[in-house]
Amino acid sequence: MKIKSIFDIHNAIFHSLKSWAEQSTGNWNILIGVGFLLLMGSAIFTYVFYKKIGQDDERTNKIFLKSSYFMLLTIILCDMIFPKEYMWNIFFLFKYALAFLAGGIYMAIQYKKDLS
């Protein structure tokens, strides 16, 4: 089978996820549960490193701004990748979970660099 365009790959990934989630209520609940756990875990992870980095000053303001920049880039990238025709609320949940995770990972890397 020859793939004609990037849209074929996009449809193959997200349409198969849609059909899996719609097979049963359990699958739908698994998808929502994983998304919610990812969102809560990412938010806690980001908050922990926000507190570890410390008070606002010249050094930390740069870190927080760059972390926010990575969160914004993640949101924009997810808006371009995730479909808007179906399961929009589920992908909205995953979009913000990934954004928090990206910001938290950046802060964790900067925190580790500052300790070394």
Side-chain angles (χ1 to χ4, degrees):
M1 182 175 155
K2 193 173 185 179
I3 297 175
K4 296 178 184 173
S5 69
I6 192 74
F7 296 112
D8 292 337
I9 296 171
H10 186 265
N11 287 335
I13 292 170
F14 292 114
H15 189 68
S16 62
L17 180 65
K18 177 188 174 203
S19 63
W20 174 79
E22 290 177 346
Q23 280 179 355
S24 74
T25 309
N27 292 350
W28 188 259
N29 289 338
I30 288 171
L31 191 61
I32 292 173
V34 167
F36 187 72
L37 288 175
L38 182 64
L39 178 68
M40 295 312 294
S42 299
I44 291 168
F45 179 71
T46 302
Y47 181 75
V48 165
F49 278 100
Y50 174 78
K51 284 297 188 183
K52 277 186 174 187
I53 288 176
Q55 299 290 330
D56 288 339
D57 59 14
E58 301 84 30
R59 177 187 62 87
T60 59
N61 278 342
K62 279 183 158 182
I63 293 171
F64 296 147
L65 285 173
K66 198 124 187 201
S67 173
S68 299
Y69 173 72
F70 282 114
M71 289 174 78
L72 178 64
L73 283 179
T74 304
I75 290 170
I76 292 171
L77 183 65
C78 287
D79 276 340
M80 292 188 316
I81 293 173
F82 290 154
K84 292 168 188 51
E85 296 83 35
Y86 51 89
M87 293 175 39
W88 186 80
N89 289 330
I90 300 297
F91 292 124
F92 189 79
L93 177 71
F94 279 100
K95 173 174 63 172
Y96 284 100
L98 292 174
F100 277 126
L101 188 62
I105 288 172
Y106 178 77
M107 283 194 276
I109 290 170
Q110 288 304 115
Y111 182 76
K112 186 170 177 142
K113 280 183 183 177
D114 286 351
L115 286 179
S116 299

